[in-house]
Amino acid sequence: MSDEAKPSSGEHKSGLVYEAARSLHSTAVKDLLSLGVCERCIFRLVSVEPFDSDLSSVSASTLRSWLESGDEEDASSSCSRVCIVCLGVLQLVFSDAKQTLVRSECGSDYAARIMDLVKEEGHEFDSFALEVSVPSTIVENERAVLFYLKGKYNSEGWVQSEKISVKDALKVLVLDPLKASLGAKSDSSSFHIRLTYSKASDEAQSASETTKHERKKRKTGEENGSTCMSENSFEKVYEPCILSVHCNKMPIFFSGRYFKYSRNVSQSRWIIDDERMGEASVEEIIGGNILPACFGDSYKFHAAGREDIDVRMLGSGRPFLVEVQNSRKCPSQESLMEIEEKINNSEKKLVGVKDLKFIGSQCWAMMREGEAEKQKQYAALVWISRPLEEKDINSITALKELKILQKTPVRVLHRRSPLERERTIHWMKVEKIKGSSHYFLLHLCTQAGTYIKEFVHGDLGRTSPSMGSILGCRAEIIQLDVTDVKMGDS
Amino acid sequence: MLFSFFTNSFTEEFKFQKHDRHLQLNTRSKTNLIPKKLKIEIFQSSLHQEEDEDELRKLLLSDIGELTLSPPSATQVNFVSYFITDFTKPGHDHYIYRHANGLCVVGLAPTHIAFKDQGGITNIDFNVGKSDRSVLKVSGKRKKNAMRSESNTALCKVSTAIDSYIVRCCVKGSLLEVNERLIKQPQLLNSSADREGYIAIIMPRPADWTKNKESLITLEEYKDKKQDGLLEPCLL
């Protein structure tokens, strides 16, 4: 037996672990083993040395034989029992989604299992961040065990040192093998692998029933400061935890400018009483084409401002961002060009896209850029109740930086605060229309947030001055187009 | 940016030469200080800009359909007109313009007896009932502090040289706004009662509206009913 217990001479790492194992306080070790604490937890709790990744390559049974000072009777029996502290987490034992028990001998073995689960999700990545989540019972049980150890061995040096948590210990054990098997670096990456351990369901149910009772008993136990491990101060768990592996990639962003050529297309999906308003939506046309190329879960559409369903977006286009959640692949610039062409050459020509590209974390800054200075240019087809005269054109063109006061338009008053907003019309130009003296094209450049329709028809006199009040007659807006959205320098 | 300065001056020049597709540089212009290669580049980018602007103009103008002599007004397009006649008293006819979002604009219908008085309406007073309706301050999306009104709650009192008449809400709901411009300009009621002379904006609850609607009549019904009276088409 003693020959098997000694490590082979080539294994330097195992040798270090062997030495460490032999140096642990033997009474404490036996004590914890009899309580049902697993080998790696004993290392965590009793050793003065930091919990090392060398431990990863040593199997639990080998560890056990090194910890025990020749008491072979205990060797075989307790291996299959779940540790009272880590609930099997550090024993590298878990139940998978199909309720099958999965045991791993060492860190590499475990990493291989995890790798299979990660590959199923289909993400492309070259770096990852590992996150571990464990049930709270582990923390509570550990506290109870530590309290007991402090009570019994309070004179020993190793009792007072800072103990590594189960979560961090697992990371230490599996991070390097995981890096090797996935072929990726580990850093604060945008790709997260989350290992979630949860208690086996039947235990969870009984736990919730008795939790309050248990907690109370535990508290009184602590106050009394016993030197014996009372059975009531920790929760007994008989089954290993269920492990679920989730991979999540942080959202990626694409930017561009869109054009809206149709007067029956809303910017975002608009559904009232199960019926869609308008033919389609810009959001769905653009996002719906980008999402499949990324193999993502979902998308969010953000635009720098919006226009009504019956207003066309022409000129230089409106900047937008598409945010894709949990993308599996990042499309290349070529595939983005293809998507752009596909949208622009589609049969119906409802929406156009330009400058579609992948954008990094500066995307929000780009959207916010020049928000206060944002100016918008429009072209409105206006009708007035009397014929247009030359002096009208002159008086309109002469108005520069015209300040107007707009009360919240009636058409949005149901969902916006009733306020009076001051806005500026920077300049206006009149373009006569052949064959009609009552209609003209009004080009105007206004401050962001101006309601153009209300500026033309006056909104029952709640916007003043209005086109009608300036010309001294009734004015109506027939149709509106956005001709430019200025964004800072671009 | 350097380019934009040059292109602006260029487009001004080229506007005169637009008919001539082979645009030639006017050597006597200020452009002869710029190196030839740069001139060509600026040339092309301003041409491009010209093309873009032309494209835009084409798009803008192509969409203009038939220009009717008198298009429907914003009120007619966005609101559904309802009327209530002889409300609480004979001759008290009101209109209720309901927007698609549920808000109701309430005012005096053209056949209201106040208009029959010589000189029309001369004064309006919102201080009726228990409070002055013109001082209410509704705030926020949830329309806090809005006065809850019944259909017969008094809104204001309009006075003519002869008599004064109480105008009521006609719609049960929250009073969001009264047209306080009328206080200083009561003649708006005479000139355009259906637009700038509106009295108030009320937000009814969907359930209240469904019940309320039953006592209202449509524009057609109103026209039929008041055939004897003087109805100017533009007011409708």
Side-chain angles (χ1 to χ4, degrees), chain A residues 263 312 314 383 407 410-411 413-418 431 439 457 460-462 474 476 479 481, chain B residues 56-57 59-60 63 67-69 71 73-74 99 101 103 138 140-141 143 177 180-181 195-196 198:
Chain A
R263 291 194 189 278
R312 290 188 302 175
L314 310 169
W383 173 90
K407 279 203 168 139
V410 179
R411 63 183 169 100
L413 188 52
H414 65 292
R415 59 178 167 83
R416 291 200 71 184
S417 295
E431 195 182 314
Y439 285 87
H457 64 61
L460 305 174
R462 296 163 80 255
R474 208 155 60 94
E476 300 290 348
Q479 59 190 37
D481 293 322
Chain B
L56 182 60
R57 284 177 55 85
L59 273 172
L60 287 174
D63 203 42
L67 299 175
T68 55
L69 200 56
S73 71
H99 195 275
N101 62 19
L103 263 43
V138 178
K141 277 191 207 176
K143 315 298 183 277
E177 182 182 302
E180 74 270 353
R181 270 168 303 261
R195 277 173 67 112
E196 286 80 14
Y198 76 95

Side-chain angles (χ1 to χ4, degrees), chain B residues 30-63:
Chain B
K30 21 188 178 185
T31 60
N32 46 7
L33 293 168
I34 311 163
K36 196 163 186 186
K37 186 162 181 229
L38 192 60
K39 272 186 202 163
I40 294 170
E41 281 173 15
I42 298 171
F43 215 29
Q44 285 167 345
S45 82
S46 74
L47 253 182
H48 201 54
Q49 198 182 23
E50 274 277 306
E51 279 166 20
D52 281 343
E53 282 172 18
D54 278 341
E55 273 289 312
L56 182 60
R57 284 177 55 85
K58 269 190 247 165
L59 273 172
L60 287 174
L61 296 171
S62 67
D63 203 42

Side-chain angles (χ1 to χ4, degrees), chain B residues 19 25 28 37 40 43 54 79-80 95 114 118-119 125 131 147 168 171 178 200 208 210 215 219:
Chain B
H19 61 278
L25 275 174
R28 270 181 287 147
K37 186 162 181 229
I40 294 170
F43 215 29
D54 278 341
F79 294 82
V80 178
Y95 66 73
Q118 186 67 265
D125 186 7
S131 60
M147 185 180 101
R168 300 191 185 268
V171 180
V178 297
D208 291 335
T210 332
S215 46
L219 178 58

Side-chain angles (χ1 to χ4, degrees), chain A residues 329-367:
Chain A
K329 282 191 175 59
C330 190
S332 61
Q333 191 58 38
E334 288 82 47
S335 22
L336 286 178
M337 296 296 231
E338 277 173 37
I339 292 171
E340 201 178 302
E341 273 182 44
K342 180 178 168 197
I343 297 173
N344 290 335
N345 298 333
S346 73
E347 218 187 296
K348 277 198 179 166
K349 270 258 173 200
L350 301 170
V351 171
V353 177
K354 125 176 145 173
D355 295 344
L356 185 63
K357 61 181 196 282
F358 180 82
I359 190 169
S361 49
Q362 70 270 33
C363 56
W364 293 114
M366 183 203 85
M367 293 293 265

